[in-house]
Amino acid sequence: MQANPSLFQAFAAQKCPQCRKGNMFKHNMYNILKFGEPNTTCSHCGLRFEREPGFFVGAMYFSYAINVAIIVTVGVGLNIFFDLSIYTVMAIVIATVFIAVPFTYRYSRMLMMYLFSGAEYNPDL
């Protein structure tokens, strides 16, 4: 019998918060054309992911916070370890944010789902 994944493992693997087995997204994170296509329901337990119309609009706040953390970390790190012009630092920071879009998009939605959907883990599913 397979052990149930922990909350962190299920979150990192982008699994359903209720059963921790079904995928929340249809495609791989770095499939550039389809990274944002979510499943409407869990393939394992049938949980509807979008609790109400516009539910994931709140994920913008999580996305903003993640992007600010990326900008500050990369910007400060570049300034501490390298002697670069401000324009070079800005270019690298902007490129980093664009490369991280699939990550920020998905994990902001995951945070919204795990924290505010009201779905509770049920190990029997």
Side-chain angles (χ1 to χ4, degrees):
M1 182 170 182
Q2 185 179 4
N4 292 329
S6 70
L7 174 66
F8 179 76
Q9 289 171 326
F11 181 82
Q14 302 167 4
K15 300 294 184 182
C16 170
Q18 184 168 286
C19 66
R20 298 182 184 171
K21 294 176 182 161
N23 292 325
M24 283 191 59
F25 294 93
K26 292 180 183 179
H27 302 284
N28 187 334
M29 186 184 317
Y30 284 99
N31 182 338
I32 299 300
L33 300 176
K34 298 181 180 183
F35 73 87
E37 288 184 24
N39 288 318
T40 54
T41 59
C42 176
S43 60
H44 188 264
C45 69
L47 175 70
R48 187 167 184 258
F49 291 133
E50 189 168 7
R51 307 306 290 167
E52 59 188 26
F55 175 74
F56 287 113
V57 171
M60 289 186 311
Y61 296 104
F62 291 115
S63 180
Y64 176 76
I66 293 168
N67 279 316
V68 167
I70 290 170
I71 290 167
V72 169
T73 303
V74 172
V76 169
L78 288 171
N79 279 324
I80 290 173
F81 296 112
F82 302 102
D83 185 25
L84 303 172
S85 73
I86 188 68
Y87 299 110
T88 305
V89 171
M90 285 175 46
I92 293 170
V93 166
I94 290 169
T96 304
V97 168
F98 276 114
I99 291 169
V101 164
F103 172 84
T104 58
Y105 177 83
R106 284 184 168 214
Y107 283 102
S108 63
R109 284 179 167 246
M110 293 292 297
L111 282 167
M112 190 71 186
M113 187 69 184
Y114 271 71
L115 294 176
F116 299 112
S117 71
E120 294 186 21
Y121 175 57
N122 184 350
D124 297 328
L125 291 177

